[in-house]
Structure formats: C-alpha cells, structure tokens
Amino acid sequence: GQNIDQPTEMTATEGAIVQINCTYQTSGFNGLFWYQQHAGEAPTFLSYNVLDGLEEKGRFSSFLSRSKGYSYLLLKELQMKDSASYLCAVRDGDYKLSFGAGTTVTVRA
Amino acid sequence: ETGVTQTPRHLVMGMTNKKSLKCEQHLGHNAMYWYKQSAKKPLELMFVYSLEERVENNSVPSRFSPECPNSSHLFLHLHTLQPEDSALYLCASSQDPGDGANVLTFGAGSRLTVL
C-alpha cells in the first residue's frame, strides 16, 4: 500500500519561515506534488518535483530526495493568507495520485 | 464559468434517498476524477475517467455510481448511503492522465451529510 506522512499541524509567525516535511513509501514513483487548500475551497497546485533537488517558485520552494523518500515544502516570508492546509501527494502510476492527510499551517500576527 | 464547478456545494440526505453530485470542467481536459476527503484523512481516489472511459475504480461500494456522459461532465449518483459516507467529495480534471507531470485542477467540493 501507499504511505505518505506529514505533520498534522504547524504554527508560525508572520514573516517567518516554515518547512513542511513529507516522507513517502509507495509502490512506484512518477513525481511528487504539493497542493494548498484553504478552508472550504478547492486544493490548488503549488509545485511538482520528479528529479532530486530544489524547485523555487517565489516565496515557496519544494525539495525532493528520491533515495530517501523525502520532500519538503518551504514557505518563506509568511503572510496571514498562507494559513491553509498543505497536501503532499505522490504519483505512483499513470493515473493514481496518493495524498497525505495534509498539514494545517496557522500563521499568527 | 471557469475551472471546475461542482454542484451542489452542500447536500444533506437520508440513508434511503437518491441524489446526484455534478461536476463540470471548462478547461478542455481529457480526464476527470472523484476524490473523497474526510476530516484528518488523506484524499481517497474513487474513480477516474479518461476520454469518457472509466480507467480506475478504487474498490468503491456500489452505492456510489459514477457517470461520465462527455469529457466535460462527471456525475456521482448516490443511493442508500451510510452516515460514514459523510465527507467532502472533490471533483478534479487534468489534461493528460498518462503524463507524470499531469496537474489536477480541483473543484471546491460538495459537502455531503448523511443522516
């Protein structure tokens, strides 16, 4: 079966940096995704990693190590609007995208 | 309308009712998906349609019945549900399901409560 683990909750202060870790054990690997989901809204795509290394996109960066089954999402210069759930997902086949339970990030003033 | 639209946004039904959830995508995508999202649990893939053909059925109970009449519309027909089926049902679409970098675009979901 698929096993994708990420912390349940994290709290940080506005302007700070938060790193959300994700570890996975899946039957195959065809890419890792991060999605953001605000309460009551649709999950929205943040980043995609298929090769080892860091992908940077503005205030958000995502890192992947395939040998360690590990990824992280780095949120810099936190803003109140970054309070949301962050979902780690692994594509382990053509169609199947398996998700972690999500990490709820709360940004405090 | 843009993106992926789901209706209704909220639905309350009894265990003996029959209802349907509707999803429409305006992105010209070729694949559509149903996911179930329960509190504090990972999203669970239920069904995948690619070019209107069902390509994945993830051991979902028969009380959930999908229908994909064309590449823009997806339905989830519900009958004799159980209280544990109460959840947020998310629809998604994507361009090319065979591409590893294939990004899913989600709708805002239909919040279902079974009494």
Side-chain angles (χ1 to χ4, degrees):
Chain A
Q2 319 308 340
N3 193 20
I4 300 171
D5 289 319
Q6 48 182 131
T8 305
E9 294 179 339
M10 301 183 75
T11 301
T13 306
E14 201 173 9
I17 297 173
V18 70
Q19 177 174 314
I20 307 170
N21 296 324
C22 172
T23 58
Y24 63 90
Q25 290 176 304
T26 55
S27 55
F29 182 82
N30 203 12
L32 186 142
F33 296 77
W34 285 94
Y35 281 82
Q36 180 191 59
Q37 185 178 23
H38 285 100
E41 296 183 15
T44 55
F45 169 74
L46 285 179
S47 68
Y48 168 70
N49 295 69
V50 68
L51 299 176
D52 290 353
L54 187 68
E55 294 281 342
E56 298 188 79
K57 211 186 261 190
R59 294 188 298 113
F60 293 1
S61 305
S62 57
F63 171 83
L64 174 67
S65 169
R66 288 171 298 171
S67 62
K68 295 181 179 176
Y70 168 69
S71 172
Y72 67 72
L73 180 70
L74 194 70
L75 315 180
K76 293 180 275 191
E77 301 168 19
L78 277 175
Q79 301 176 10
M80 300 299 288
K81 66 179 182 180
D82 298 329
S83 293
S85 182
Y86 292 85
L87 310 176
C88 174
V90 174
R91 173 157 286 124
D92 52 16
D94 280 348
Y95 303 103
K96 198 173 175 86
L97 195 61
S98 298
F99 283 82
T103 300
T104 299
V105 172
T106 302
V107 181
R108 298 176 306 190
Chain B
E1 292 276 12
T2 57
V4 179
T5 305
Q6 291 188 241
T7 55
R9 291 295 310 277
H10 300 273
L11 178 63
V12 179
M13 59 187 289
M15 289 192 285
T16 58
N17 290 159
K18 285 185 181 182
K19 296 285 185 184
S20 295
L21 307 181
K22 179 183 173 183
C23 177
E24 186 174 358
Q25 59 99 357
H26 309 270
L27 300 167
H29 286 169
N30 296 320
M32 297 188 77
Y33 309 72
W34 280 117
Y35 277 87
K36 176 183 179 183
Q37 187 175 33
S38 303
K40 306 296 183 187
K41 286 185 167 182
L43 268 72
E44 299 172 47
L45 179 64
M46 300 175 73
F47 301 104
V48 182
Y49 279 81
S50 177
L51 296 173
E52 301 144 50
E53 180 183 338
R54 192 190 305 179
V55 295
E56 179 93 19
N57 177 3
N58 223 26
S59 302
V60 178
S62 59
R63 57 187 185 268
F64 295 92
S65 174
E67 179 191 359
C68 187
N70 55 61
S71 60
S72 299
H73 293 86
L74 184 66
F75 295 89
L76 189 62
H77 303 299
L78 317 168
H79 65 98
T80 58
L81 293 191
Q82 305 297 312
E84 61 263 30
D85 297 322
S86 298
L88 182 68
Y89 289 85
L90 289 165
C91 174
S93 70
S94 69
Q95 179 60 39
D96 179 2
D99 178 0
N102 181 42
V103 174
L104 268 59
T105 301
F106 285 89
S110 293
R111 171 72 62 189
L112 173 66
T113 302
V114 182
L115 301 176

